Amino acid sequence: MYLPILAATSLLAGVAYGYASPGACSGVCNMHDPSLIRRESDGTYFRFSTGNRISYVSASSIEGPWTAIGSVLPDGSSIDLAGNTDLWAPDVQLVDGVYYVYYSVSTFGSQNSAIGVASSATMNLNTWTDHGSTGIRSDSSKAYNAIDGNLLNDGGSLLMSFGSFWGDLYQAPMSSPRAVGSSSYNIAYDPAGAHAVEGPYLYKYGNYYYLFYSAGTCCGYDASMPAAGEEYKIKACRSSSATGGFVDASGVACTAGGGTIVLESHDNVYGPGGQGVFTDPTLGPVLYYHYVDTTIGYADSQKVFGWNVIDFSSGWPVV
């Protein structure tokens, strides 16, 4: 292990940041690809994750104690693709009083993929209705892989960001929370190596839209450790527009390999990623993610929930 420091950039000249330890977590903290929301009616927190056909848990605060609820889609998805009983990478959003969980249908390393959606008015167990595909799909004819969807509700304008490897990150306008509206376009691309960029999350703070994403090798650390620095990490670019023009803190376009590191391996935290951003009513903006706790183990099944408060005072997210 090593202790990296977030290097100063031209916009953060002369300043270097260490990373804060993840916030406290109790109860069910073992999970992969978290998505977090707080129910408006009673303030209950819900956390969704990969596995068990989209597993979810609840708590009275982001710290827990997290209690298991069950599966969003215990019978799997109606999407007719391999992997429709093994759903990935949930993203939960509230639109017009309805909670939507977006999920990925695919198999590992395949481009035969689709982003589906289920909805509930309450998020209670057995209240989810599967609506199948959003219309965002991919195969070998596409430049992208249609997984890792994230919906931004920008004042009623709905945008779906998605992608993993291949042409990296894309975005498409949605005509409704359940259906894509028009063609997709590229918003981030790393031309180097395997194009190891995935899991976008778009978050507006102040006058900017921040595109958070995961970069590097995500998985299988117990079988094969990547070279130092090539493991999962969280990066960000920003733009004054939600639909493109994202650059990093040095001004490099996100479509040309740009990306400022927000969080990487440090102390007993290894390979953080699968992130999202949540606006907590007390804490403010929070970056949440999964990571390997090196004191526990490196297997994918051992990854745990992490979170840190975000400081945007420099104009860039710092944790």
Side-chain angles (χ1 to χ4, degrees):
M1 287 302 295
Y2 61 109
L3 181 61
I5 299 296
L6 183 61
T9 70
S10 59
L11 296 184
L12 301 174
V15 180
Y17 295 94
Y19 302 115
S21 297
C25 183
S26 65
V28 181
C29 297
N30 182 246
M31 49 96 260
H32 198 113
D33 299 328
S35 186
L36 191 64
I37 200 166
R38 184 173 179 267
R39 187 161 59 190
E40 288 196 328
S41 63
D42 61 2
T44 299
Y45 289 69
F46 290 81
R47 192 190 72 216
F48 299 78
S49 57
T50 293
N52 195 31
R53 298 175 184 177
I54 308 300
S55 180
Y56 72 124
V57 297
S58 66
S60 58
S61 81
I62 194 171
E63 296 184 354
W66 293 98
T67 302
I69 299 173
S71 303
V72 171
L73 296 177
D75 297 323
S77 170
S78 60
I79 297 173
D80 187 18
L81 277 179
N84 65 359
T85 59
D86 183 22
L87 312 178
W88 297 1
D91 175 60
V92 58
Q93 302 293 338
L94 177 66
V95 182
D96 295 332
V98 177
Y99 296 95
Y100 293 90
V101 166
Y102 299 91
Y103 59 85
S104 302
V105 172
S106 189
T107 54
F108 195 82
S110 172
Q111 208 177 354
N112 294 320
S113 310
I115 296 172
V117 61
S119 68
S120 169
T122 64
M123 296 190 286
N124 291 333
L125 185 63
N126 299 324
T127 64
W128 295 95
T129 299
D130 181 32
H131 304 291
S133 177
T134 59
I136 299 176
R137 299 184 66 141
S138 63
D139 55 35
S140 60
S141 70
K142 301 292 187 182
Y144 51 78
N145 191 13
I147 67 171
D148 292 357
N150 162 245
L151 186 79
L152 174 70
N153 182 1
D154 187 26
S157 176
L158 303 178
L159 295 169
M160 179 70 74
S161 302
F162 62 93
S164 173
F165 288 71
W166 280 275
D168 289 337
L169 306 185
Y170 278 70
Q171 188 181 85
M174 301 287 283
S175 60
S176 76
R178 293 166 49 180
V180 67
S182 56
S183 299
S184 60
Y185 41 85
N186 186 235
I187 56 172
Y189 179 67
D190 184 352
H195 322 299
V197 170
E198 59 188 358
Y201 197 99
L202 194 55
Y203 181 78
K204 187 177 184 182
Y205 187 86
N207 295 323
Y208 289 103
Y209 297 86
Y210 292 85
L211 177 63
F212 294 82
Y213 60 91
S214 300
T217 301
C218 73
C219 310
Y221 301 145
D222 56 331
S224 178
M225 288 289 287
E230 293 184 4
E231 74 276 11
Y232 236 23
K233 60 186 66 67
I234 299 169
K235 293 186 174 184
C237 291
R238 76 179 189 187
S239 174
S240 58
S241 168
T243 59
F246 296 97
V247 299
D248 67 13
S250 297
V252 179
C254 222
T255 51
T260 295
I261 294 175
V262 179
L263 182 64
E264 58 188 333
S265 299
H266 67 97
D267 303 315
N268 65 311
V269 173
Y270 183 81
Q275 74 296 315
V277 181
F278 169 71
T279 305
D280 188 272
T282 302
L283 300 169
V286 170
L287 178 72
Y288 61 84
Y289 50 91
H290 67 242
Y291 70 98
V292 162
D293 183 336
T294 59
T295 66
I296 297 174
Y298 287 81
D300 293 335
S301 62
Q302 294 175 301
K303 290 178 178 175
V304 294
F305 178 59
W307 62 273
N308 294 82
V309 173
I310 304 175
D311 179 1
F312 280 104
S313 62
S314 68
W316 290 91
V318 173
V319 296

